[in-house]
Every structure is written in structure tokens, then in C-alpha cells.
Amino acid sequence: MNHDDSHLPLIERIPSANVASPSELRPRDPKDVRWYKPTVGETLTMMGWRWLYFLPAIGLILIPVISPTFLWMFQFTFLYGKLLIVAIGVPMGVFIKAAKNGVRMRKEPFCIHCGYELTNLPDNYICPECGEPYTFRVIDEYRRDPHWFIERYKRRGEVPVADVPFEARKSSKKKSRDGT
């Protein structure tokens, strides 16, 4: 969930209920679990037409390389530097956002360990690519927020043990004047 959602109505700020838990995973080797994260190529594909944001940056970088007589531009380094920062910063921001949300953008079922597409395969089965078991409920939970899912998986054994119950009784200590 986005941290800056104060403009949304209250009903839209409440996170949806969990559909699965990382504790439902039964990996072959619990100590060495691989997680699927989109590659650079997959992220660029998911960006769609937004890859066009990179064209101004490429152009500004290539101008001094292609045109050696373009040295006068370096006299205006301050202006050129600002243009270069904006031309590189905007597409990098779009790319980082696409990389962060890349798992959420996938609509088809996929293995959360290797990214293999599981369309037309049964639920509660084993991935034919990596051999890890999967369920569609766990995939949906992973798709919602993969970073949080991975963190929950890593910390699943750190739940504190319930305290031993104790019996409350009247204190034998004399009351002070201030009531404590």
C-alpha cells in the first residue's frame, strides 16, 4: 500500500485481508529459497510505451559524442547539467517504479520462485521449471507486495512465545499521598 494515501477515502486506505501466509510455503530447501523478481528486460517490457522517456536522455548523452564541434555546449555546463539530470532522472524514476511494481503488473499465475507462467496448470501443484510447490493463494499474496511477503517469510520463526500468565493481587505496599 502506498504510504501517501491520506487523500483517499478511509475505505480505500484499509488494506485488504490476507489470502495466504508465507508459513503455507513448503519449499524443498527452506534455507535456500529463491524469489522471483523481474529482470531488466521484463521490466522494460512491462513499462510499455514509457521506454520512450529514455530518448531525450540518450540524445543529450550522444550530442557531445557525435558532434565534436559541439564543445561550446560545455561552456554552459550548468544548464546542460540540469537538462541531463532531468532527462535521466525522469526515465530512471519510471523504470524504478516499474521494477518495484513489476510483480504486481503480472496478471497470469506465475511461480514465485522462478517466474515461470503457470497458466492452465492445476492449483496445489509443483512448478515444472524449478520444482518448487505452489498454490494460487500464495501467489496472489506474493503479488500484492513481494518485498513484504519475503520479509514475513524470513521472520516467520521469530514470533515470541506467549508469556506465562500471572495472577494479579492487591499490593501490600502502602499507598502514597499522590495516589500511586
Side-chain angles (χ1 to χ4, degrees):
M1 180 138 244
N2 191 356
H3 294 288
D4 187 25
D5 56 1
S6 58
H7 64 284
L8 296 173
L10 180 60
I11 193 71
E12 292 180 22
R13 285 187 270 164
I14 299 172
S16 56
N18 288 344
V19 294
S21 169
S23 62
E24 294 179 34
L25 284 181
R26 301 289 180 247
R28 291 180 299 170
D29 184 8
K31 294 178 181 136
D32 186 32
V33 178
R34 291 180 303 136
W35 301 103
Y36 166 71
K37 293 182 182 153
T39 63
V40 172
E42 290 173 327
T43 303
L44 286 173
T45 303
M46 286 183 232
M47 283 178 63
W49 61 269
R50 290 178 188 87
W51 66 269
L52 293 172
Y53 289 147
F54 284 100
L55 292 179
I58 293 169
L60 282 173
I61 291 171
L62 289 180
I63 286 174
V65 174
I66 293 173
S67 175
T69 59
F70 197 73
L71 294 176
W72 63 269
M73 184 61 160
F74 289 107
Q75 295 174 351
F76 302 102
T77 306
F78 187 69
L79 174 65
Y80 186 73
K82 284 184 180 181
L83 286 174
L84 196 58
I85 288 171
V86 170
I88 291 174
V90 169
M92 289 308 293
V94 172
F95 180 80
I96 289 169
K97 183 177 180 184
K100 183 179 178 201
N101 296 327
V103 173
R104 291 182 196 155
M105 292 175 163
R106 288 189 70 171
K107 301 301 178 204
E108 76 284 346
F110 61 92
C111 177
I112 64 174
H113 302 289
C114 67
Y116 184 79
E117 187 176 330
L118 302 171
T119 305
N120 299 327
L121 291 175
D123 193 9
N124 293 323
Y125 202 63
I126 295 174
C127 174
E129 184 74 17
C130 67
E132 293 287 348
Y134 69 86
T135 65
F136 293 144
R137 290 176 349 121
V138 171
I139 292 169
D140 288 341
E141 187 67 25
Y142 182 78
R143 180 182 288 131
R144 281 180 44 197
D145 191 352
H147 303 290
W148 175 236
F149 186 91
I150 294 168
E151 190 62 32
R152 285 171 44 207
Y153 179 80
K154 289 178 183 174
R155 298 185 184 267
R156 72 192 183 289
E158 297 179 11
V159 177
V161 179
D163 289 338
V164 177
F166 66 95
E167 185 178 318
R169 61 178 186 247
K170 189 176 180 179
S171 175
S172 61
K173 192 174 170 186
K174 214 176 185 184
K175 272 191 175 181
S176 67
R177 294 180 74 188
D178 64 356
T180 58

